[in-house]
Amino acid sequence: MKKIVILISGRGSNMEAIVRAQIPGAAIAAVIANRPDAGGLEFAASHRIPTFVVDHKAYPSRDAFDAALADAIDAHAPDLVVLAGFMRVLTDAFVVRYSGRLLNIHPSLLPSFPGLATHRKALEAGVRVHGATVHFVTPALDCGPIVIQAAVPVLPGDDEARLAARVLAQEHRIYPQAVRWFVDGRLGFADGGAVTVRGEQDGPAGWTVPPVEA
Ligand code: GAR
């Protein structure tokens, strides 16, 4: 059984999607939030998943917070740490500690639109295609090796909320998929660092274009 710790900051809908996926061979060992009011804590607790808060406001520095967070994570000896809407920038020391077993989801087709306000940036840029990316975390923000992406159209009349909702629906598809691949031991790295998915010869792995809604 592969043990997974999920980190959240708020609503936790991606965490919820991963929990609901009931991935064979995976056990959600804990959900940890950096905010006591993170909405997702309630869902996790109601599914009998141990929940913890490591409140970043209680620590004098990023280093001190990340050290406390790492202690909370390591108490569960996880095989995989999943950032699911975890909105703190992590120190290099933290990221390196979990190298190769730290995943993040980002609401854009990286490398386009790293950072915050991705849907607004996509609308301002006038792109016709937007989406979401699951990637391994490396010290450079939003730059790690890409595991899977989903693309959605930007439609006439879209505002940030509509576009965010369309992207979020795809996040809920691709994050459980990426975790499933990790748990099954199917993710590897090609020369040059790109992620490979073993055993996906029959179709394209690592990307998905959903049907356009009416
Ligand atoms: C998601 O859209 C996720 O991609 C984004 O925050 C939202 C969290 O929603 N993450 C980032 O922007 C990371 N930089 P959730 O709490 O409902 O999963």
Side-chain angles (χ1 to χ4, degrees), residues 8-16 40 83-88 104-108 114-119 132-133 141-142 164 167-168 171-172 175:
I8 64 169
S9 294
R11 174 180 59 185
S13 70
N14 277 289
M15 173 271 296
E16 198 175 321
L83 305 180
F86 189 71
M87 303 305 281
R88 298 290 300 171
N104 181 45
I105 190 153
H106 183 78
S108 78
L116 299 173
T118 56
H119 308 306
T133 302
L141 187 69
D142 298 332
V167 171
L168 190 66
E171 295 184 39
H172 297 163
Y175 218 174

Side-chain angles (χ1 to χ4, degrees), residues 23-38:
I23 296 166
I28 312 299
V31 170
I32 303 174
N34 66 309
R35 301 172 56 106
D37 60 351

Side-chain angles (χ1 to χ4, degrees), residues 56-200:
H56 64 275
K57 292 199 185 115
Y59 296 88
S61 66
R62 253 181 222 289
D63 286 334
F65 168 68
D66 280 10
L69 184 61
D71 284 347
I73 293 169
D74 291 350
H76 305 282
D79 300 281
L80 174 65
V81 178
V82 169
L83 305 180
F86 189 71
M87 303 305 281
R88 298 290 300 171
V89 173
L90 296 161
T91 56
D92 289 3
F94 181 96
V95 170
V96 167
R97 183 189 191 106
Y98 299 104
S99 178
R101 55 188 179 113
L102 183 59
L103 289 175
N104 181 45
I105 190 153
H106 183 78
S108 78
L109 292 173
L110 290 172
S112 291
F113 314 127
L116 299 173
T118 56
H119 308 306
R120 189 172 73 225
K121 289 174 185 165
L123 288 169
E124 284 171 359
V127 295
R128 297 298 196 264
V129 178
H130 185 42
T133 302
V134 178
H135 64 96
F136 282 103
V137 179
T138 55
L141 187 69
D142 298 332
C143 278
I146 290 169
V147 176
I148 185 168
Q149 295 185 301
V152 302
V154 180
L155 298 175
D158 271 354
D159 56 15
E160 274 185 70
R162 264 184 64 166
L163 187 53
R166 189 175 306 124
V167 171
L168 190 66
Q170 299 311 312
E171 295 184 39
H172 297 163
R173 294 176 62 217
I174 63 175
Y175 218 174
Q177 176 66 80
V179 171
R180 197 174 290 119
W181 281 334
F182 184 96
V183 166
D184 290 346
R186 290 173 63 189
L187 296 181
F189 294 94
D191 291 348
V195 175
T196 57
V197 186
R198 278 185 281 279
E200 283 289 310

